[in-house]
Amino acid sequence: MAAPAATKAEAEAFVKDAEARLAQFSIPSAQAQWINATYITDDSDALAAYFGTIGTEMSVGFANDAARFAEVPDLDYDTVRKLNSLRGGIVLPAPTTPGAAAELNNISTSLQSQYGKGKGTLKGEPINGSDIEAAMGEVRDPAQLQEMWTSWNDNVGAPMRADYIRMVGIANQGAKELGYDDAGAMWRSAYDMSPEEFTALTDRIWNDVKPLYDDLHCFVRAKLNDKYGDEVQSADGPIRSDLLGNMWAQEWGNIYDVVAPGGAGDIGYDVTSLLEAKDYDAARMVKTGEGFFSSLGFDPLPETFFQRSLFVKPQDREVVCHASAWDLDNVDDVRIKMCIKVNADDFTTIHHELGHNYYQRAYNKQPFLYLNGANDGFHEAIGDMIALSITPEYLVQIGLLDKSQVPSSDKDIGLLLRQAMDKVAFLPFGLLVDKWRWGVFDGSIPSDGLQKGWDDLRLEYQGIAPPVARTEASFDPGGKYHIPATTPYMRYFLARILQFQFYKAACEEAGWKGPLHRCSFYGNKQVGEKLNAMLEMGASRPWPDALEKFTGSREMSGKAMLEYFAPLRTWLKTQNQGRKCGW
């Protein structure tokens, strides 16, 4: 005899109970994860895995129940939305098989700790993750770059391969139990549209901005060929990935000095030098980031933020240096975790991470299941929008740059090129990380072809190639933090697009009349008020509603980014005349 159909009252009671239990559990779980990330030991690994297992089992149970209640008729809007959140909100779903959740969390915790403790070599000497990232941006010797790139990927990525394959298998079983084709389809279901519609949306946005990336790739390749010669970097074909100033060739701004043409390339100042000249330290850099949000009318950060955050790498222990923002009690215990160095990159990253914290505080009055961004791209885009406002005018306003040093409009190409080498160069990488994972999850990239699948996508989208031959004994994806940490990555691609939409909307609200790339809305309370109206919605409404609240549009589009970089695109086309572009 079939079980009686679930009722509306039962569905509502289930959601209320699940939300309360998840909220209560989230605090000790976050505290255990924080300790593990800032004090890596066997014991903190075990505690993180313990809480992770409990959380996964709880979430899987709620997800399965939510799937059962999904067909109940006449449910109100919030009940339906929360049921969808419970069903599809797990990044790594474990099947209900006894022991599966524990195994999944043990693997996941181990992979993250392997990454946190990972080391490469430079001149034969061991070098940790944050230091090797910095060195990849500073070293110009191709042999040393190749050594760092190869040692990092071989030492950190390759040993993860078998565990990663096992983790994918378990997560796929869990996703199928919840009614999804695979874990990748489950991830793509989190965007208020079908997985197929989301894939089409990201492809459409990429096609909007790809011509700009192609122009930048062509120009940068020619400059690298000029510097290193044909033996290191040929004048056509893909770019050798370790030459681009970043371990993953995801952002190229660190080699701006290599590609900046005389005159047009000089932006007139260097933020790293400005910070050093004013004796900035990590804490002061964070206070400056806080000041931007305060200028828009947001409340200052609580004192506990400064007491409990990790700003500098401790000398006495291993920590995960990868920058991240945390909300430990769903109210006001917000923190950032970084191993800050006094340089331009980290100054920008601080603004980015604080964007997460201010978003978290803005929506902290929402019910627990709405304590999130409108979609995960929104969360990443807020701080990046603020960072776009780190213009010369802003640097003058905060006393870092003297007014006489503000570059004139003839330096605009240099300013835009420097921005594009991070913002535009990132786009294909932001897209392909999850395209690779989606392929691994659905089997179109088989377990005996993981490295080939990675290299093929890197070539197709980024136009880059590894500096040394790779085989299936390699596992270069594991050398990128978000792969062992199982952090979905499409959010970063969306954020690169959304931040320009948000930035343009903020500049229009502030009444800005000049070129878009010179706008700073620092100090504009009207922008802050309108921004807060979007942020405080959290995940309570579909993302087009939130987008419309701030920008007036319901459509994600690359048009604002293209407008921002329009003068650069014209210039790049002129520079590339006579060159064979593409790869």
Side-chain angles (χ1 to χ4, degrees):
M1 186 174 164
T7 66
K8 181 181 178 187
E10 286 172 337
E12 290 169 352
F14 160 72
V15 167
K16 185 177 180 182
D17 176 63
E19 192 161 39
R21 287 170 60 192
L22 286 168
Q24 184 180 23
F25 173 75
S26 71
I27 298 171
S29 176
Q31 290 166 335
Q33 301 296 339
W34 173 266
I35 291 167
N36 186 224
T38 58
Y39 210 115
I40 303 173
T41 66
D42 291 342
D43 292 329
S44 67
D45 277 358
L47 278 171
Y50 170 78
F51 278 98
T53 300
I54 295 172
T56 299
E57 288 176 339
M58 187 185 292
S59 297
V60 167
F62 289 148
N64 281 297
D65 287 341
R68 185 168 63 87
F69 285 114
E71 303 306 316
V72 174
D74 302 323
L75 296 176
D76 62 65
Y77 168 85
D78 285 306
T79 303
V80 171
R81 189 162 183 81
K82 289 177 181 180
L83 285 170
N84 287 337
S85 173
L86 287 165
R87 178 172 169 252
I90 313 169
V91 174
L92 273 182
T96 50
T97 315
E103 184 183 2
L104 188 63
N105 278 283
N106 286 331
I107 293 173
S108 177
T109 301
S110 170
L111 289 174
Q112 290 185 67
S113 290
Q114 284 179 55
Y115 186 93
K117 292 184 279 196
K119 289 180 170 58
T121 64
L122 175 57
K123 300 179 188 174
E125 295 296 318
I127 179 170
N128 70 36
S130 61
D131 290 341
I132 204 169
E133 279 189 50
M136 286 292 291
E138 295 162 1
V139 171
R140 297 291 178 259
D141 180 328
Q144 291 178 14
L145 289 167
Q146 180 175 311
E147 177 198 359
M148 286 190 287
W149 187 97
T150 307
S151 63
W152 178 259
N153 284 297
D154 287 353
N155 294 351
V156 179
M160 298 178 180
R161 198 175 193 284
D163 276 349
Y164 192 81
I165 292 169
R166 176 64 183 149
M167 186 174 74
V168 165
I170 299 171
N172 268 344
Q173 283 180 281
K176 283 172 182 166
E177 278 193 18
L178 295 172
Y180 299 96
D181 290 342
D182 57 74
M186 185 172 174
W187 290 11
R188 297 195 299 282
S189 297
Y191 292 93
D192 299 302
M193 57 179 63
S194 73
E196 296 74 23
E197 287 170 330
F198 182 67
T199 302
L201 172 66
T202 56
D203 288 343
R204 178 178 59 73
I205 294 170
W206 167 240
N207 286 329
D208 284 346
V209 294
K210 183 180 185 297
L212 173 59
Y213 176 80
D214 290 348
D215 290 337
L216 180 67
H217 180 282
C218 190
F219 174 77
V220 169
R221 181 180 60 196
K223 290 294 178 180
L224 289 170
N225 175 251
D226 290 346
K227 178 173 178 62
Y228 294 115
D230 291 340
E231 286 185 14
V232 173
Q233 175 58 58
S234 67
D236 54 21
I239 296 174
R240 190 177 122 173
S241 61
D242 60 330
L243 303 179
L244 288 163
N246 175 275
M247 182 63 75
W248 309 280
Q250 67 181 61
E251 289 163 330
W252 306 346
N254 286 330
I255 61 157
Y256 180 74
D257 61 296
V258 174
V259 307
D266 177 19
I267 62 175
Y269 66 92
D270 172 62
V271 173
T272 299
S273 301
L274 295 175
L275 292 167
E276 290 169 347
K278 297 284 186 179
D279 293 324
Y280 268 66
D281 60 11
R284 190 176 174 193
M285 287 166 72
V286 175
K287 288 296 287 185
T288 303
E290 178 193 32
F292 198 116
F293 289 90
S294 297
S295 84
L296 300 180
F298 289 90
D299 290 338
L301 291 164
E303 194 55 41
T304 53
F305 171 87
F306 295 96
Q307 293 164 352
R308 298 171 183 173
S309 289
L310 178 77
F311 294 158
V312 180
K313 187 179 191 308
Q315 296 299 306
D316 63 338
R317 63 187 194 266
E318 295 286 355
V319 302
V320 178
C321 274
H322 184 87
S324 55
W326 296 63
D327 176 10
L328 276 83
D329 69 351
N330 308 315
V331 184
D332 223 23
D333 188 358
V334 292
R335 311 177 191 180
I336 62 171
K337 174 187 63 59
M338 283 183 70
C339 301
I340 297 171
K341 298 181 188 297
V342 180
N343 61 35
D345 277 356
D346 282 6
F347 189 61
T348 300
T349 300
I350 286 164
H351 285 74
H352 169 91
E353 296 302 339
L354 289 178
H356 289 296
N357 289 147
Y358 280 94
Y359 205 162
Q360 289 158 344
R361 292 182 87 199
Y363 56 57
N364 68 11
K365 292 182 175 59
Q366 291 284 354
F368 179 79
L369 288 171
Y370 292 160
L371 296 178
N372 215 328
N375 69 38
D376 53 9
F378 276 64
H379 233 303
E380 297 298 332
I382 299 304
D384 281 346
M385 171 191 74
I386 300 296
L388 282 175
S389 211
I390 301 178
T391 60
E393 181 188 347
Y394 165 60
L395 297 175
V396 170
Q397 288 172 303
I398 62 173
L400 258 181
L401 186 67
D402 190 82
K403 202 164 182 63
S404 64
Q405 293 175 279
V406 172
S408 52
S409 59
D410 65 335
K411 306 294 188 193
D412 277 9
I413 293 302
L415 287 163
L416 286 169
L417 180 59
R418 177 64 184 81
Q419 278 278 37
M421 290 182 70
D422 282 344
K423 303 290 187 183
V424 178
F426 177 83
L427 291 168
F429 186 77
L431 190 71
L432 72 83
V433 170
D434 276 354
K435 280 196 171 285
W436 178 81
R437 275 193 289 210
W438 297 346
V440 175
F441 282 131
D442 71 17
S444 59
I445 296 175
S447 58
D448 61 356
L450 299 181
Q451 183 65 38
K452 181 181 186 301
W454 180 254
D455 289 339
D456 287 352
L457 284 167
R458 300 263 274 165
L459 180 62
E460 178 185 351
Y461 283 94
Q462 286 183 282
I464 66 166
V468 296
R470 311 309 281 159
T471 69
E472 286 306 318
S474 310
F475 185 59
D476 296 351
K480 173 62 183 168
Y481 170 79
H482 300 75
I483 300 288
T486 317
T487 304
Y489 210 73
M490 197 57 74
R491 62 187 63 176
Y492 302 104
F493 173 75
L494 299 179
R496 282 299 194 278
I497 299 299
L498 283 167
Q499 66 187 261
F500 287 94
Q501 284 189 260
F502 292 161
Y503 179 71
K504 184 179 179 185
C507 293
E508 287 174 350
E509 181 68 28
W512 181 258
K513 299 299 181 196
L516 184 57
H517 61 273
R518 284 210 161 226
C519 161
S520 176
F521 47 85
Y522 176 80
N524 192 296
K525 301 286 196 293
Q526 281 174 269
V527 171
E529 195 175 316
K530 195 167 183 183
L531 177 61
N532 189 64
M534 175 176 73
L535 300 185
E536 67 184 7
M537 294 167 71
S540 65
R541 305 293 306 173
W543 65 258
D545 292 3
L547 184 63
E548 187 176 31
K549 178 76 92 172
F550 189 54
T551 69
S553 170
R554 298 179 63 80
E555 183 184 352
M556 264 193 273
S557 157
K559 288 174 187 159
M561 182 185 230
L562 293 174
E563 179 183 339
Y564 183 95
F565 287 111
L568 176 68
R569 179 113 196 266
T570 301
W571 182 84
L572 286 172
K573 285 197 167 303
T574 302
Q575 300 299 309
N576 288 334
Q577 280 178 1
R579 290 176 181 150
K580 182 185 171 189
C581 293
W583 57 86

